[in-house]
Short mmCIF file of all heavy atoms in Angstrom, two decimals:
data_model
loop_
_atom_site.label_atom_id
_atom_site.label_comp_id
_atom_site.label_asym_id
_atom_site.label_seq_id
_atom_site.Cartn_x
_atom_site.Cartn_y
_atom_site.Cartn_z
N ARG A 1 -10.14 10.89 -4.44
CA ARG A 1 -9.18 11.50 -3.54
C ARG A 1 -7.85 11.76 -4.27
O ARG A 1 -7.21 12.76 -4.03
CB ARG A 1 -8.99 10.59 -2.34
CG ARG A 1 -8.11 11.20 -1.32
CD ARG A 1 -8.10 10.40 -0.08
NE ARG A 1 -7.36 11.12 0.91
CZ ARG A 1 -7.09 10.72 2.08
NH1 ARG A 1 -7.53 9.54 2.46
NH2 ARG A 1 -6.40 11.43 2.91
N ALA A 2 -7.43 10.86 -5.12
CA ALA A 2 -6.18 11.05 -5.86
C ALA A 2 -6.28 12.26 -6.78
O ALA A 2 -5.32 13.01 -6.94
CB ALA A 2 -5.84 9.80 -6.65
N TYR A 3 -7.45 12.47 -7.39
CA TYR A 3 -7.65 13.62 -8.26
C TYR A 3 -7.51 14.92 -7.47
O TYR A 3 -6.86 15.86 -7.92
CB TYR A 3 -9.02 13.55 -8.94
CG TYR A 3 -9.35 14.80 -9.70
CD1 TYR A 3 -8.76 15.05 -10.94
CD2 TYR A 3 -10.21 15.76 -9.18
CE1 TYR A 3 -9.04 16.21 -11.64
CE2 TYR A 3 -10.49 16.93 -9.87
CZ TYR A 3 -9.90 17.15 -11.11
OH TYR A 3 -10.17 18.30 -11.78
N THR A 4 -8.11 14.97 -6.29
CA THR A 4 -8.04 16.16 -5.45
C THR A 4 -6.60 16.44 -5.04
O THR A 4 -6.14 17.58 -5.10
CB THR A 4 -8.92 16.00 -4.20
OG1 THR A 4 -10.25 15.73 -4.62
CG2 THR A 4 -8.88 17.24 -3.34
N ALA A 5 -5.88 15.41 -4.65
CA ALA A 5 -4.48 15.59 -4.26
C ALA A 5 -3.65 16.09 -5.44
O ALA A 5 -2.81 16.97 -5.29
CB ALA A 5 -3.90 14.28 -3.73
N ALA A 6 -3.88 15.56 -6.62
CA ALA A 6 -3.14 16.00 -7.81
C ALA A 6 -3.47 17.45 -8.15
O ALA A 6 -2.60 18.22 -8.54
CB ALA A 6 -3.45 15.09 -8.99
N ALA A 7 -4.74 17.84 -8.00
CA ALA A 7 -5.14 19.22 -8.30
C ALA A 7 -4.50 20.20 -7.32
O ALA A 7 -4.04 21.27 -7.71
CB ALA A 7 -6.66 19.34 -8.26
N VAL A 8 -4.46 19.85 -6.05
CA VAL A 8 -3.84 20.72 -5.06
C VAL A 8 -2.35 20.82 -5.31
O VAL A 8 -1.76 21.90 -5.25
CB VAL A 8 -4.13 20.20 -3.63
CG1 VAL A 8 -3.27 20.92 -2.61
CG2 VAL A 8 -5.60 20.36 -3.31
N TYR A 9 -1.70 19.72 -5.62
CA TYR A 9 -0.26 19.73 -5.88
C TYR A 9 0.07 20.57 -7.10
O TYR A 9 1.08 21.28 -7.12
CB TYR A 9 0.24 18.30 -6.06
CG TYR A 9 1.72 18.22 -6.29
CD1 TYR A 9 2.61 18.37 -5.24
CD2 TYR A 9 2.24 18.01 -7.57
CE1 TYR A 9 3.97 18.31 -5.44
CE2 TYR A 9 3.61 17.96 -7.78
CZ TYR A 9 4.46 18.11 -6.72
OH TYR A 9 5.81 18.06 -6.93
N ALA A 10 -0.76 20.53 -8.12
CA ALA A 10 -0.51 21.30 -9.34
C ALA A 10 -0.56 22.81 -9.07
O ALA A 10 0.13 23.57 -9.72
CB ALA A 10 -1.52 20.92 -10.40
N ARG A 11 -1.36 23.24 -8.10
CA ARG A 11 -1.49 24.67 -7.79
C ARG A 11 -0.49 25.15 -6.76
O ARG A 11 -0.26 26.34 -6.61
CB ARG A 11 -2.88 24.97 -7.24
CG ARG A 11 -3.98 24.82 -8.25
CD ARG A 11 -5.28 25.20 -7.62
NE ARG A 11 -5.41 24.48 -6.34
CZ ARG A 11 -6.47 24.52 -5.57
NH1 ARG A 11 -7.48 25.24 -5.89
NH2 ARG A 11 -6.51 23.84 -4.45
N ALA A 12 0.09 24.24 -6.01
CA ALA A 12 0.96 24.61 -4.89
C ALA A 12 2.34 25.02 -5.39
O ALA A 12 2.96 24.31 -6.16
CB ALA A 12 1.09 23.43 -3.92
N PRO A 13 2.82 26.16 -4.96
CA PRO A 13 4.18 26.57 -5.35
C PRO A 13 5.22 25.73 -4.61
O PRO A 13 5.00 25.29 -3.49
CB PRO A 13 4.27 28.03 -4.94
CG PRO A 13 3.27 28.15 -3.83
CD PRO A 13 2.17 27.16 -4.13
N VAL A 14 6.33 25.51 -5.25
CA VAL A 14 7.44 24.79 -4.65
C VAL A 14 8.55 25.78 -4.37
O VAL A 14 8.97 26.52 -5.26
CB VAL A 14 7.95 23.67 -5.58
CG1 VAL A 14 9.15 22.98 -4.99
CG2 VAL A 14 6.84 22.67 -5.85
N LEU A 15 9.02 25.81 -3.13
CA LEU A 15 10.09 26.72 -2.74
C LEU A 15 11.35 25.93 -2.47
O LEU A 15 11.31 24.88 -1.83
CB LEU A 15 9.70 27.49 -1.47
CG LEU A 15 8.41 28.29 -1.52
CD1 LEU A 15 8.15 28.93 -0.18
CD2 LEU A 15 8.46 29.32 -2.62
N ASP A 16 12.46 26.42 -2.96
CA ASP A 16 13.76 25.82 -2.66
C ASP A 16 14.28 26.41 -1.36
O ASP A 16 14.53 27.60 -1.26
CB ASP A 16 14.77 26.09 -3.78
CG ASP A 16 14.40 25.38 -5.07
OD1 ASP A 16 13.83 24.27 -4.98
OD2 ASP A 16 14.70 25.92 -6.13
N VAL A 17 14.40 25.56 -0.35
CA VAL A 17 14.88 25.97 0.97
C VAL A 17 16.14 25.17 1.26
O VAL A 17 16.13 23.95 1.17
CB VAL A 17 13.81 25.74 2.06
CG1 VAL A 17 14.34 26.13 3.42
CG2 VAL A 17 12.55 26.51 1.72
N TYR A 18 17.22 25.86 1.60
CA TYR A 18 18.51 25.21 1.76
C TYR A 18 18.94 25.13 3.22
O TYR A 18 18.64 26.01 4.02
CB TYR A 18 19.57 25.96 0.96
CG TYR A 18 19.25 25.97 -0.52
CD1 TYR A 18 18.69 27.09 -1.11
CD2 TYR A 18 19.48 24.85 -1.29
CE1 TYR A 18 18.37 27.09 -2.46
CE2 TYR A 18 19.17 24.85 -2.64
CZ TYR A 18 18.61 25.97 -3.22
OH TYR A 18 18.30 25.96 -4.54
N ARG A 19 19.65 24.07 3.51
CA ARG A 19 20.21 23.88 4.84
C ARG A 19 21.42 24.80 5.01
O ARG A 19 22.20 24.98 4.09
CB ARG A 19 20.63 22.42 4.99
CG ARG A 19 21.18 22.08 6.33
CD ARG A 19 21.63 20.61 6.32
NE ARG A 19 22.11 20.25 7.61
CZ ARG A 19 21.39 19.64 8.54
NH1 ARG A 19 20.15 19.28 8.27
NH2 ARG A 19 21.89 19.36 9.70
N VAL A 20 21.54 25.39 6.20
CA VAL A 20 22.67 26.26 6.50
C VAL A 20 23.50 25.65 7.62
O VAL A 20 22.97 24.96 8.50
CB VAL A 20 22.20 27.68 6.88
CG1 VAL A 20 21.60 28.40 5.69
CG2 VAL A 20 21.20 27.66 8.02
N ALA A 21 24.80 25.88 7.58
CA ALA A 21 25.70 25.33 8.60
C ALA A 21 25.56 26.08 9.93
O ALA A 21 25.70 25.49 10.99
CB ALA A 21 27.15 25.41 8.12
N LYS A 22 25.28 27.37 9.86
CA LYS A 22 25.07 28.17 11.07
C LYS A 22 23.86 29.06 10.84
O LYS A 22 23.53 29.38 9.70
CB LYS A 22 26.31 28.98 11.41
CG LYS A 22 26.71 29.98 10.36
CD LYS A 22 27.95 30.73 10.77
CE LYS A 22 28.27 31.79 9.72
NZ LYS A 22 29.34 32.66 10.13
N PRO A 23 23.20 29.48 11.90
CA PRO A 23 22.02 30.34 11.74
C PRO A 23 22.36 31.63 10.99
O PRO A 23 23.44 32.20 11.18
CB PRO A 23 21.61 30.65 13.18
CG PRO A 23 22.20 29.57 14.00
CD PRO A 23 23.47 29.17 13.30
N PRO A 24 21.47 32.09 10.12
CA PRO A 24 21.73 33.34 9.42
C PRO A 24 21.70 34.52 10.38
O PRO A 24 20.98 34.50 11.38
CB PRO A 24 20.58 33.43 8.40
CG PRO A 24 19.53 32.52 8.90
CD PRO A 24 20.20 31.48 9.72
N ALA A 25 22.48 35.53 10.08
CA ALA A 25 22.49 36.74 10.90
C ALA A 25 21.23 37.54 10.61
O ALA A 25 20.82 37.68 9.46
CB ALA A 25 23.71 37.58 10.57
N PHE A 26 20.61 38.03 11.66
CA PHE A 26 19.42 38.86 11.49
C PHE A 26 19.85 40.32 11.51
O PHE A 26 19.71 41.02 12.50
CB PHE A 26 18.40 38.55 12.58
CG PHE A 26 17.81 37.19 12.42
CD1 PHE A 26 18.34 36.11 13.09
CD2 PHE A 26 16.75 37.00 11.56
CE1 PHE A 26 17.81 34.84 12.92
CE2 PHE A 26 16.20 35.73 11.39
CZ PHE A 26 16.73 34.66 12.07
N ASP A 27 20.41 40.75 10.38
CA ASP A 27 20.96 42.09 10.27
C ASP A 27 20.21 42.95 9.25
O ASP A 27 20.65 44.04 8.92
CB ASP A 27 22.44 42.02 9.91
CG ASP A 27 22.69 41.26 8.62
OD1 ASP A 27 21.71 40.83 7.97
OD2 ASP A 27 23.87 41.09 8.26
N GLY A 28 19.12 42.45 8.72
CA GLY A 28 18.35 43.20 7.73
C GLY A 28 18.86 43.04 6.31
O GLY A 28 18.31 43.63 5.40
N ARG A 29 19.89 42.24 6.10
CA ARG A 29 20.47 42.07 4.76
C ARG A 29 20.18 40.70 4.15
O ARG A 29 20.38 40.52 2.98
CB ARG A 29 21.97 42.28 4.82
CG ARG A 29 22.33 43.69 5.21
CD ARG A 29 23.82 43.92 5.05
NE ARG A 29 24.15 45.20 5.65
CZ ARG A 29 25.07 45.36 6.58
NH1 ARG A 29 25.77 44.34 6.99
NH2 ARG A 29 25.29 46.54 7.08
N PHE A 30 19.81 39.72 4.93
CA PHE A 30 19.49 38.36 4.46
C PHE A 30 20.66 37.67 3.78
O PHE A 30 20.48 36.78 2.96
CB PHE A 30 18.28 38.37 3.52
CG PHE A 30 17.04 38.90 4.17
CD1 PHE A 30 16.60 40.18 3.91
CD2 PHE A 30 16.32 38.12 5.04
CE1 PHE A 30 15.46 40.68 4.52
CE2 PHE A 30 15.18 38.60 5.65
CZ PHE A 30 14.75 39.90 5.38
N SER A 31 21.88 38.08 4.11
CA SER A 31 23.05 37.51 3.46
C SER A 31 23.28 36.05 3.84
O SER A 31 23.84 35.29 3.06
CB SER A 31 24.30 38.33 3.80
OG SER A 31 24.49 38.37 5.20
N GLY A 32 22.83 35.61 5.00
CA GLY A 32 23.02 34.23 5.40
C GLY A 32 22.00 33.27 4.84
O GLY A 32 22.11 32.06 5.01
N PHE A 33 20.99 33.79 4.15
CA PHE A 33 19.92 32.96 3.63
C PHE A 33 20.21 32.40 2.24
O PHE A 33 19.62 31.42 1.83
CB PHE A 33 18.61 33.75 3.56
CG PHE A 33 17.91 33.88 4.87
CD1 PHE A 33 18.16 34.96 5.69
CD2 PHE A 33 16.99 32.94 5.28
CE1 PHE A 33 17.50 35.10 6.90
CE2 PHE A 33 16.33 33.07 6.48
CZ PHE A 33 16.59 34.15 7.29
N GLY A 34 21.05 33.04 1.47
CA GLY A 34 21.22 32.65 0.08
C GLY A 34 20.19 33.37 -0.77
O GLY A 34 19.63 34.38 -0.37
N PRO A 35 19.90 32.85 -1.96
CA PRO A 35 18.95 33.53 -2.86
C PRO A 35 17.53 33.48 -2.31
O PRO A 35 17.20 32.59 -1.53
CB PRO A 35 19.07 32.74 -4.17
CG PRO A 35 19.52 31.39 -3.75
CD PRO A 35 20.40 31.61 -2.55
N PRO A 36 16.68 34.42 -2.73
CA PRO A 36 15.29 34.37 -2.28
C PRO A 36 14.61 33.06 -2.70
O PRO A 36 14.84 32.56 -3.80
CB PRO A 36 14.63 35.56 -2.98
CG PRO A 36 15.74 36.45 -3.38
CD PRO A 36 16.93 35.57 -3.59
N ALA A 37 13.77 32.53 -1.83
CA ALA A 37 13.03 31.30 -2.14
C ALA A 37 11.87 31.60 -3.08
O ALA A 37 11.45 30.73 -3.84
CB ALA A 37 12.53 30.66 -0.85
N ALA A 38 11.35 32.82 -3.04
CA ALA A 38 10.23 33.21 -3.91
C ALA A 38 10.18 34.72 -4.01
O ALA A 38 10.72 35.43 -3.17
CB ALA A 38 8.91 32.68 -3.34
N ARG A 39 9.51 35.20 -5.04
CA ARG A 39 9.32 36.65 -5.23
C ARG A 39 7.89 36.89 -5.65
O ARG A 39 7.36 36.23 -6.53
CB ARG A 39 10.26 37.20 -6.28
CG ARG A 39 10.04 38.67 -6.55
CD ARG A 39 11.21 39.32 -7.25
NE ARG A 39 10.99 40.73 -7.50
CZ ARG A 39 11.12 41.70 -6.61
NH1 ARG A 39 11.46 41.42 -5.39
NH2 ARG A 39 10.90 42.95 -6.93
N LEU A 40 7.27 37.87 -5.00
CA LEU A 40 5.94 38.31 -5.35
C LEU A 40 6.08 39.71 -5.92
O LEU A 40 6.48 40.63 -5.20
CB LEU A 40 5.04 38.31 -4.11
CG LEU A 40 3.61 38.80 -4.29
CD1 LEU A 40 2.86 37.89 -5.25
CD2 LEU A 40 2.92 38.86 -2.95
N ASP A 41 5.81 39.87 -7.21
CA ASP A 41 5.98 41.17 -7.85
C ASP A 41 4.84 42.10 -7.47
O ASP A 41 3.69 41.70 -7.35
CB ASP A 41 6.01 41.02 -9.37
CG ASP A 41 7.27 40.32 -9.84
OD1 ASP A 41 8.32 40.51 -9.21
OD2 ASP A 41 7.21 39.58 -10.84
N GLY A 42 5.19 43.36 -7.32
CA GLY A 42 4.21 44.38 -6.98
C GLY A 42 3.72 45.10 -8.22
O GLY A 42 4.13 44.79 -9.34
N PRO A 43 2.87 46.11 -8.05
CA PRO A 43 2.29 46.81 -9.19
C PRO A 43 3.27 47.71 -9.93
O PRO A 43 3.09 47.97 -11.11
CB PRO A 43 1.15 47.62 -8.56
CG PRO A 43 1.54 47.78 -7.14
CD PRO A 43 2.33 46.56 -6.78
N ALA A 44 4.31 48.18 -9.26
CA ALA A 44 5.29 49.07 -9.92
C ALA A 44 6.55 48.26 -10.27
O ALA A 44 6.74 47.15 -9.79
CB ALA A 44 5.64 50.23 -8.99
N ASP A 45 7.38 48.84 -11.10
CA ASP A 45 8.59 48.14 -11.55
C ASP A 45 9.52 47.75 -10.41
O ASP A 45 10.08 46.68 -10.40
CB ASP A 45 9.36 48.99 -12.56
CG ASP A 45 8.64 49.08 -13.90
OD1 ASP A 45 7.78 48.22 -14.16
OD2 ASP A 45 8.95 50.00 -14.67
N ASN A 46 9.72 48.64 -9.47
CA ASN A 46 10.67 48.39 -8.38
C ASN A 46 9.97 47.97 -7.09
O ASN A 46 10.50 48.18 -6.01
CB ASN A 46 11.51 49.64 -8.10
CG ASN A 46 12.52 49.88 -9.19
OD1 ASN A 46 12.84 48.97 -9.94
ND2 ASN A 46 13.00 51.09 -9.29
N SER A 47 8.80 47.41 -7.17
CA SER A 47 8.10 46.99 -5.96
C SER A 47 7.95 45.48 -5.96
O SER A 47 8.01 44.83 -6.99
CB SER A 47 6.74 47.67 -5.86
OG SER A 47 5.89 47.21 -6.88
N GLY A 48 7.76 44.94 -4.80
CA GLY A 48 7.57 43.51 -4.67
C GLY A 48 8.10 43.03 -3.33
O GLY A 48 8.60 43.81 -2.52
N VAL A 49 7.98 41.74 -3.11
CA VAL A 49 8.42 41.13 -1.86
C VAL A 49 9.27 39.92 -2.17
O VAL A 49 8.87 39.07 -2.99
CB VAL A 49 7.21 40.72 -0.99
CG1 VAL A 49 7.68 40.09 0.31
CG2 VAL A 49 6.31 41.90 -0.70
N ASP A 50 10.44 39.84 -1.57
CA ASP A 50 11.29 38.66 -1.65
C ASP A 50 11.12 37.86 -0.37
O ASP A 50 11.17 38.41 0.73
CB ASP A 50 12.77 39.03 -1.80
CG ASP A 50 13.08 39.60 -3.16
OD1 ASP A 50 12.42 39.20 -4.14
OD2 ASP A 50 14.00 40.42 -3.26
N PHE A 51 10.91 36.55 -0.51
CA PHE A 51 10.77 35.66 0.65
C PHE A 51 12.03 34.82 0.77
O PHE A 51 12.51 34.25 -0.21
CB PHE A 51 9.55 34.75 0.48
CG PHE A 51 8.26 35.51 0.45
CD1 PHE A 51 7.68 35.88 -0.74
CD2 PHE A 51 7.64 35.87 1.64
CE1 PHE A 51 6.50 36.60 -0.77
CE2 PHE A 51 6.46 36.59 1.63
CZ PHE A 51 5.88 36.95 0.42
N TYR A 52 12.56 34.75 1.98
CA TYR A 52 13.78 33.99 2.25
C TYR A 52 13.47 32.87 3.23
O TYR A 52 12.65 33.04 4.13
CB TYR A 52 14.85 34.90 2.86
CG TYR A 52 15.32 35.99 1.93
CD1 TYR A 52 14.65 37.20 1.85
CD2 TYR A 52 16.43 35.79 1.12
CE1 TYR A 52 15.09 38.20 0.99
CE2 TYR A 52 16.86 36.78 0.26
CZ TYR A 52 16.19 37.97 0.20
OH TYR A 52 16.62 38.95 -0.65
N ALA A 53 14.14 31.75 3.08
CA ALA A 53 13.96 30.63 4.01
C ALA A 53 15.22 29.79 4.04
O ALA A 53 15.92 29.65 3.04
CB ALA A 53 12.78 29.78 3.60
N ALA A 54 15.53 29.26 5.21
CA ALA A 54 16.67 28.37 5.41
C ALA A 54 16.36 27.52 6.64
O ALA A 54 15.45 27.84 7.41
CB ALA A 54 17.96 29.15 5.60
N TYR A 55 17.12 26.45 6.83
CA TYR A 55 16.92 25.63 8.03
C TYR A 55 18.24 25.04 8.48
O TYR A 55 19.21 24.98 7.74
CB TYR A 55 15.90 24.52 7.77
CG TYR A 55 16.38 23.43 6.84
CD1 TYR A 55 16.92 22.26 7.34
CD2 TYR A 55 16.29 23.56 5.46
CE1 TYR A 55 17.37 21.25 6.50
CE2 TYR A 55 16.73 22.57 4.62
CZ TYR A 55 17.26 21.41 5.14
OH TYR A 55 17.70 20.43 4.30
N ASP A 56 18.27 24.63 9.76
CA ASP A 56 19.41 23.90 10.30
C ASP A 56 18.86 22.75 11.13
O ASP A 56 17.70 22.36 10.96
CB ASP A 56 20.34 24.83 11.10
CG ASP A 56 19.71 25.46 12.32
OD1 ASP A 56 18.61 25.03 12.73
OD2 ASP A 56 20.31 26.39 12.88
N ASP A 57 19.67 22.19 12.02
CA ASP A 57 19.24 21.04 12.80
C ASP A 57 18.06 21.34 13.74
O ASP A 57 17.31 20.45 14.09
CB ASP A 57 20.39 20.49 13.65
CG ASP A 57 21.44 19.81 12.80
OD1 ASP A 57 21.12 19.38 11.67
OD2 ASP A 57 22.59 19.70 13.27
N LYS A 58 17.93 22.60 14.14
CA LYS A 58 16.91 22.93 15.14
C LYS A 58 15.76 23.80 14.64
O LYS A 58 14.65 23.67 15.13
CB LYS A 58 17.55 23.67 16.32
CG LYS A 58 18.46 22.81 17.15
CD LYS A 58 18.93 23.59 18.35
CE LYS A 58 19.77 22.73 19.26
NZ LYS A 58 20.17 23.45 20.46
N PHE A 59 16.02 24.69 13.69
CA PHE A 59 15.04 25.70 13.36
C PHE A 59 14.83 25.87 11.86
O PHE A 59 15.71 25.57 11.05
CB PHE A 59 15.45 27.07 13.93
CG PHE A 59 15.59 27.09 15.42
CD1 PHE A 59 16.84 27.09 16.00
CD2 PHE A 59 14.48 27.09 16.23
CE1 PHE A 59 16.98 27.10 17.38
CE2 PHE A 59 14.60 27.11 17.61
CZ PHE A 59 15.87 27.11 18.18
N LEU A 60 13.67 26.42 11.54
CA LEU A 60 13.37 26.89 10.19
C LEU A 60 13.37 28.42 10.28
O LEU A 60 12.68 29.00 11.13
CB LEU A 60 11.99 26.40 9.73
CG LEU A 60 11.45 26.99 8.44
CD1 LEU A 60 12.32 26.53 7.26
CD2 LEU A 60 10.01 26.55 8.23
N TYR A 61 14.16 29.07 9.44
CA TYR A 61 14.28 30.52 9.46
C TYR A 61 13.56 31.09 8.24
O TYR A 61 13.75 30.62 7.13
CB TYR A 61 15.75 30.95 9.39
CG TYR A 61 16.59 30.34 10.48
CD1 TYR A 61 17.34 29.19 10.26
CD2 TYR A 61 16.62 30.92 11.75
CE1 TYR A 61 18.11 28.62 11.27
CE2 TYR A 61 17.38 30.35 12.76
CZ TYR A 61 18.11 29.22 12.51
OH TYR A 61 18.86 28.65 13.52
N VAL A 62 12.73 32.07 8.45
CA VAL A 62 12.01 32.71 7.35
C VAL A 62 12.11 34.22 7.51
O VAL A 62 12.22 34.75 8.61
CB VAL A 62 10.53 32.28 7.28
CG1 VAL A 62 10.42 30.81 6.93
CG2 VAL A 62 9.81 32.56 8.57
N GLY A 63 12.07 34.90 6.39
CA GLY A 63 12.11 36.35 6.40
C GLY A 63 11.59 36.89 5.08
O GLY A 63 11.46 36.14 4.10
N TYR A 64 11.29 38.16 5.04
CA TYR A 64 10.87 38.78 3.80
C TYR A 64 11.39 40.21 3.74
O TYR A 64 11.64 40.85 4.75
CB TYR A 64 9.35 38.76 3.66
CG TYR A 64 8.60 39.59 4.66
CD1 TYR A 64 8.27 40.91 4.36
CD2 TYR A 64 8.24 39.08 5.88
CE1 TYR A 64 7.59 41.70 5.29
CE2 TYR A 64 7.56 39.85 6.82
CZ TYR A 64 7.24 41.15 6.52
OH TYR A 64 6.58 41.92 7.42
N ALA A 65 11.57 40.67 2.53
CA ALA A 65 12.00 42.05 2.29
C ALA A 65 11.05 42.68 1.29
O ALA A 65 10.87 42.16 0.18
CB ALA A 65 13.43 42.06 1.74
N ALA A 66 10.42 43.76 1.69
CA ALA A 66 9.48 44.46 0.82
C ALA A 66 10.15 45.71 0.26
O ALA A 66 10.81 46.43 0.98
CB ALA A 66 8.22 44.85 1.60
N ALA A 67 9.96 45.93 -1.01
CA ALA A 67 10.54 47.09 -1.68
C ALA A 67 9.43 48.02 -2.15
O ALA A 67 8.57 47.63 -2.93
CB ALA A 67 11.39 46.66 -2.87
N GLN A 68 9.42 49.24 -1.65
CA GLN A 68 8.50 50.29 -2.08
C GLN A 68 7.05 49.86 -2.07
O GLN A 68 6.32 50.04 -3.02
CB GLN A 68 8.89 50.79 -3.46
CG GLN A 68 10.26 51.41 -3.51
CD GLN A 68 10.57 51.97 -4.87
OE1 GLN A 68 9.69 52.16 -5.70
NE2 GLN A 68 11.82 52.27 -5.11
N MET A 69 6.63 49.27 -1.00
CA MET A 69 5.21 48.85 -0.92
C MET A 69 4.39 49.92 -0.26
O MET A 69 4.72 50.63 0.56
CB MET A 69 5.07 47.56 -0.15
CG MET A 69 5.70 46.38 -0.85
SD MET A 69 5.01 46.05 -2.43
CE MET A 69 3.95 44.71 -2.09
#
């Protein structure tokens, strides 16, 4: 069982998610989230998806921005 847990942990990505003092604004700009938690590159130079995440006392906020998909 320890081997299986170690193998799963080795493959699992780690995302940095930061606490926010106030909920981020949902304005399409993701300015309240801080830097993207992860990026998935697409097939072209300017394509891909940025994933954003933040949390406060009550909620976990997640969002994504796709470029030229």
Side-chain angles (χ1 to χ4, degrees):
R1 185 171 187 183
Y3 172 76
T4 303
V8 169
Y9 182 76
R11 292 182 310 184
V14 176
L15 303 178
D16 292 327
V17 178
Y18 299 101
R19 182 183 182 96
V20 291
K22 61 181 184 172
F26 291 94
D27 57 2
R29 296 189 190 125
F30 300 102
S31 58
F33 281 91
R39 177 162 180 79
L40 178 63
D41 291 327
D45 289 341
N46 288 340
S47 67
V49 180
D50 288 329
F51 295 96
Y52 295 87
Y55 70 96
D56 63 13
D57 289 338
K58 291 185 176 183
F59 300 105
L60 171 67
Y61 304 97
V62 294
Y64 66 92
Q68 298 184 15
M69 294 300 259

